[in-house]
Amino acid sequence: MTASPHDGRAIAVSDALAVLDARGTLTGWSEGARRLTGYPAGEVLGQPAARLVAGEPGAVWRELSAHGSGVVTVRRRDGRRTRFALRLVALRDAHGRRESVIIAEPAGRGRGPDASRTGMDRGERAGERTREGPGADVPLGELAFQQASMAMSVFDPQQRYVRLNDVACAVMGLPEEDLKGTFYPDTVEDADFSRGFLSHLRQVVATGRPVHYESWTHAPAGTRAHAWNVEMWPVRGPDGKLIGVGLAALDSSEQHWARRRLGLVNEAAARIGTRLDVRNTARELADLVVPRLADFVSVDLLDSVLSGEEPAAVLGPSGVELRRVAHRSRTTGVPEAAVGLGEADVYPRFSPPARALAGCRTVLTGSGEPEVDAWIAGHGDRAARHREAGRGDFSLMAVPLVARGAALGVAVFVRLLTPRSPDPFDQEDVSLADELASRAAVCVDNARRYSRERATAVALQRSLLPRASGGQAAVEFASRYLPAVSQAGVGGDWFDVIPLSGNRVALVVGDVVGHGIHASVTMGRLRTAVWTLADVDLPPDELLTHLDDLVGHLASDGGGDDAAGADGGEIGATCVYAVYDPVSRVCSVASAGHPPPVVVLADGGVEVVRVSAGPMLGVGGLPFEATELELPEGSVLALYTDGLVENRDVDVDTGLDALCAALAAPAANLEDACDGVLKALLPTRPADDVALLLARTRALHTGQVAVWDLPADPAVVATARRYATEQLARWGLEEAASVTELVVSELVTNAIRYGGAPIRLSLIRNRSLICEVSDASSTSPHMRRARSYDEGGRGLLLVAQLARRWGTRPGRVGKTIWAEQALPGR
């Protein structure tokens, strides 16, 4: 090899040496270079030397080429930045091709006569003569100006260059002699930042006052954008007249990037996790970092996370399967995406995403790395897109999304390396990406947990609600239940249609205070309790009284802890309970703090039922009152929860008016009426659960009911049997006569013996045949097993064997015993 004149001394074997070819690619790397930088030869050979420079590679190369030495800041393998004194030796190989050898040592350690000058004498580069030692003939101030660590310049009042120091010359890319006397706009491109700079120069001349401003621009001599803090001040002569403008520009790029990183982290707190939705959170992460941190971002999650289950990363022999939930690119159309949204892809074990997921740590790599190139080449679509896009080098971070110690997925950040943006991701970028990914992972996990709990609560509620709309003997009904879509979770709304004796029906709508799985569990308990109390056939006010006691017991004995959760064991609920009798066409309603029912009469009129609201369930110690109203056949009774008529923007009265208007609108059937009400009253995303129950009343006419008042005389039992037989004959039910005679005989006999007058016998024919006997006693009978020598005690046992169902219910005076038989042929 032939050495150039820059070869000022012999090269020692222990020196830190790097060999570059004519394109700036590293082709040689000594053991001394490894010790200084930490990079082994395998990681740097074949890579551009510019990747190791923390600054403008072009300016550094020009300085080394012109002067043969210089001090350069280099990125070490551990992320630190260290200043090295570099010497350039130009060589040619055996084939005559030009090569360069760079000899490095830590700046300031000193070796030979040039060590005290950092490789180039700033005074000599400025074309000035200096002498070392006490007799130097250059003023100290001049040396300070030339050797300042920031760019300093002087302009005349016409914005022409007068003086520039070394840093300013390096920024402009020209020596001072070429710039002196040149009008500033003639030395830069015509761009916004150049015009802004010129405007500030003129402002100082016009006002005679200093100006400070900040800009983000590309230096004329470089490709990277820099943040500049610029101070301009007027320069005055001895007579006080302005004769020029002084300028000092400090490169604050590091501080600028630090502020931008901090701002990005602060912004992430407000922009990531705005909704408890896994996919939306992933999109928010991608939208935040492109283009501010990366040119392309993809977010892939495990299928178990998307389904709300516990994350289970399975890294098999072929890799791990992830599903794409979000991606974003600086380029329209996301040309980098080889996997479509919603599609699954298998990442090989050696790929950066799989390695990041398996190790739960960020993998920093880029093009040219064997595993990256193999990963791209092994995926047909990914390789094709890379070729079609004509992308060059890129830097890549695969960042795991880890929450509560479990990996949920991977976010891949890609930055394209171009002449105007040549910096790959560094350790500071890794730290920023880790912070953003950690925040996103927690939000994704919260959304996953919420989705699972909401799905469980909805499933529980739907399993407890009536499975299908349909008809009873007393009413035709339709219903709707809409779970909330707010972050508070599913509430505890429910409704029920419960068949009662005598063809009557109970209509129930309730609302448990609170949201989530606990509210759903409490709702299930209360619904079961209502069914149990309804089976006893209690009047509405008495039923609510017993239900109120039950709620109090659940809260006081600790049984409500699971249901109430954060409420400290307290349980609260509202409920409206209505019983409609199709024989009398009377509806009895009682409410426990619930919104009042609304009635649509047969003539089309709409009324709000004036019912006593009563206390909420769980308050205890306060009475409930029942309200009775007569409903003509065909009337529609509407029961609902407060989510239908009340929200943060609408008060209850306004909501009730809107409900009445919606119910008054014509509808073909009850199903259409339900849809019309929800459409008219609900927003797109209701914040609370909504339950709606519409019931159209039916009536049993005189031809379907027969009633006889009987004296309390044992002789009347035979008469009662005759009445029943004759009535069955008129109805064409002679086949049921024998069983009905026995039932009537036993029930009337019990009423005469144990009840007393007044006694009433009723036969009701609808979908079944019902026999009812009322008496004055409030004591309920009990079926018992009679001994062989007992004269009585077998009547109710006989009734229970003959009837499909039987029971007793209290009345205003006394009680009613009833027995239901299937009609012949049914």
Side-chain angles (χ1 to χ4, degrees), residues 743 783 794-806 819:
V743 171
M783 185 171 59
R794 299 175 178 82
L796 288 181
L797 180 61
L798 181 62
V799 171
Q801 296 297 317
L802 295 174
R804 183 165 63 185
R805 295 189 307 147
W806 77 278

Side-chain angles (χ1 to χ4, degrees), residues 596 598 606 638 640 644-645 654-664 677 681 692:
V598 176
V606 182
Y640 53 91
L644 182 66
V645 296
T654 303
L656 275 176
D657 293 340
L659 175 60
C660 291
L663 289 171
V677 169
L681 271 69
L692 172 64

Side-chain angles (χ1 to χ4, degrees), residues 300-466:
D300 299 335
L301 298 178
L302 296 165
D303 280 334
S304 56
V305 174
L306 293 174
S307 62
E309 302 170 2
E310 290 298 323
V314 180
L315 190 61
S318 61
V320 62
E321 183 177 88
L322 298 171
R323 192 168 299 276
R324 178 66 49 85
V325 293
H327 54 219
R328 184 174 176 85
S329 172
R330 182 191 290 266
T331 306
T332 304
V334 198
E336 303 92 340
V339 180
L341 292 177
E343 296 179 0
D345 191 26
V346 176
Y347 291 86
R349 296 177 65 92
F350 61 84
S351 66
R355 290 162 52 200
L357 192 69
C360 289
R361 61 179 180 82
T362 298
V363 174
L364 176 60
T365 184
S367 57
E369 297 292 340
E371 69 276 6
V372 175
D373 294 342
W375 172 45
I376 294 176
H379 191 289
D381 290 342
R382 188 171 284 114
R385 286 181 175 269
H386 189 69
R387 289 193 302 270
E388 292 170 2
R391 305 295 185 186
D393 290 339
F394 60 85
S395 182
L396 182 146
M397 290 187 293
V399 187
L401 301 178
V402 180
R404 299 176 178 90
L408 312 177
V410 179
V412 175
F413 298 68
V414 176
R415 177 183 293 173
L416 302 178
L417 304 182
T418 65
R420 296 189 67 85
S421 181
D423 292 331
F425 291 124
D426 56 20
Q427 289 301 319
E428 293 179 353
D429 294 322
V430 170
S431 298
L432 175 59
D434 285 342
E435 176 69 23
L436 298 177
S438 175
R439 185 179 298 275
V442 171
C443 295
V444 165
D445 194 52
N446 289 339
R448 176 191 66 81
R449 290 167 175 259
Y450 165 77
S451 298
R452 180 180 62 183
E453 180 174 309
R454 184 177 186 275
T456 302
V458 170
L460 175 61
Q461 283 193 310
R462 293 196 183 281
S463 69
L464 296 175
L465 295 175

Side-chain angles (χ1 to χ4, degrees), residues 10 20 79 97 118 353 360 392 397 418 430 519 521 551 628 636 692 713 765:
L20 285 71
R97 291 190 295 264
T118 69
C360 289
M397 290 187 293
T418 65
V430 170
V521 171
V551 171
E628 291 189 349
V636 175
L692 172 64
D713 183 357
R765 177 181 64 84

Side-chain angles (χ1 to χ4, degrees), residues 535-558:
D535 189 60
V536 182
D537 240 327
L538 294 177
D541 51 344
E542 292 187 29
L543 183 141
L544 291 183
T545 300
H546 285 281
L547 193 62
D548 180 55
D549 292 340
L550 174 63
V551 171
H553 290 316
L554 287 175
S556 63
D557 65 6

